[in-house]
Amino acid sequence: MRHHWSAGVVSAVVLIIVAATPMLALAQAPAPPPRLPNGQINLGAVPGQKGFWNSFNGQLVGRTGNALPTNLLIEEVPFRPWAKALFEYRRFRDGLDDPHARCQPAGGIRFLTAPNGTEFIQQPELNRILLIDGENRAWKRIAMEPGRKHPSPDDLNPSYFGDAIGWWEGDTLVVDTVGFNEKFWAFRNGLPHTRFLHLVERYTRLDMNRIKYEFTVDDKGAYTRPWSGGWHINWQSTNYDGSPGGEIHEYFCIDNERDSEHLER
């Protein structure tokens, strides 16, 4: 009798756990991505919410951490010989020659992986989206005018952030950028780029807490073919240093900058 009673209790507990599991999972699941009044995905905070996107640990290559499982390994990147040699030299130097360490702007994909976080400011009434970076208060504009085209190569003025045109493919923001200069490292790990860099980025907000970021690099000067990668960008509701607030603090590299004098030559 005692044995049957125990078995019955165990069965009942198992049934309760099985029945409760979907409800617990539902309660813990992140809320779906928010939308603007026009129905577009809202890539920023909702009214009353504070925070920003923290992509500092984004990985262009490799499959660990928040990287996408489809990322290339470094040995799979289709370098041209000179670009591979330069990358190896930069890696050997451990970033000592990085222009970013001397307060040059973080262009290309580097914009997302600079410290201090990133915000999206969507202005559909003005056909543009602004990305604001917490480091140096850098910002770049994504032109969203329907049918907009890049200037001809002869008319492009090479810059750190390039000429960016965006559009929506369903709930994914696609950004096509050309016209980069060569005064910066477009990728934090030292992967080279040239003036031929054509960067296509895709931002898909999966829920309230994550954006799936995908990129394709097409640079005939540095690589033998286009290649792609990406990672998940996480929402941060605290300040960048972890203290309460959810604000992007003001930071300027040149203000009281003391690092470059200690870099080895």
Side-chain angles (χ1 to χ4, degrees):
M1 181 73 177
R2 184 174 182 180
H3 172 76
H4 292 298
W5 181 83
S6 298
V9 170
V10 170
S11 298
V13 170
V14 169
L15 287 173
I16 291 172
I17 293 174
V18 170
T21 297
M23 291 185 288
L24 290 172
L26 184 62
Q28 296 172 355
R35 294 184 182 272
L36 300 176
N38 65 1
Q40 289 178 354
I41 290 291
N42 180 2
L43 294 172
V46 298
Q49 181 189 32
K50 288 188 175 183
F52 51 85
W53 297 105
N54 185 347
S55 190
F56 180 70
N57 292 321
Q59 299 184 57
L60 284 79
V61 294
R63 299 163 190 158
T64 59
N66 57 356
L68 299 183
T70 53
N71 275 15
L72 299 181
L73 301 178
I74 189 61
E75 56 268 23
E76 297 173 322
V77 175
F79 291 106
R80 292 197 180 277
W82 75 266
K84 184 174 183 180
L86 179 57
F87 170 69
E88 294 294 347
Y89 177 76
R90 288 175 173 178
R91 187 157 61 171
F92 170 76
R93 293 277 291 165
D94 198 25
L96 293 176
D97 306 308
D98 186 353
H100 189 249
R102 294 164 177 81
C103 301
Q104 292 298 308
I109 293 177
R110 188 73 176 273
F111 185 91
L112 285 177
T113 57
N116 257 23
T118 303
E119 290 187 70
F120 289 79
I121 309 297
Q122 291 166 253
Q123 298 179 313
E125 71 282 3
L126 299 176
N127 288 315
R128 69 185 183 190
I129 295 176
L130 302 178
L131 270 69
I132 299 177
D133 208 334
E135 183 175 73
N136 296 324
R137 279 294 194 259
W139 63 275
K140 65 178 180 180
R141 184 189 69 148
I142 301 171
M144 301 290 291
E145 293 98 330
R148 184 182 175 106
K149 304 293 184 183
H150 293 299
S152 69
D154 291 337
D155 293 329
L156 272 173
N157 182 23
S159 62
Y160 289 94
F161 301 139
D163 184 75
I165 296 174
W167 63 89
W168 291 95
E169 291 183 1
D171 289 340
T172 297
L173 173 65
V174 182
V175 182
D176 185 294
T177 310
V178 298
F180 294 102
N181 66 38
E182 299 178 5
K183 299 178 181 179
F184 65 100
W185 290 8
F187 317 108
R188 190 176 64 198
N189 60 358
L191 289 169
H193 79 281
T194 73
R195 63 187 178 87
F196 298 110
L197 174 60
H198 178 190
L199 179 62
V200 178
E201 302 167 285
R202 300 176 64 88
Y203 299 84
T204 306
R205 187 166 190 174
L206 303 176
D207 50 47
M208 287 292 290
N209 299 328
R210 288 187 307 160
I211 286 178
K212 182 181 180 182
Y213 173 71
E214 303 165 279
F215 68 84
T216 297
V217 169
D218 186 358
D219 184 345
K220 66 181 181 180
Y223 306 97
T224 59
R225 58 175 174 82
W227 58 279
S228 301
W231 61 85
H232 287 112
I233 304 174
N234 296 318
W235 181 260
Q236 181 164 328
S237 56
T238 63
N239 296 332
Y240 193 78
D241 61 4
S243 60
E247 302 281 358
I248 291 183
H249 290 167
E250 182 176 283
Y251 169 80
F252 289 96
C253 176
I254 201 66
D255 186 21
N256 201 29
E257 189 274 316
R258 301 177 182 180
D259 290 335
S260 59
E261 64 183 82
H262 301 293
L263 296 177
E264 296 180 7
R265 303 299 181 185

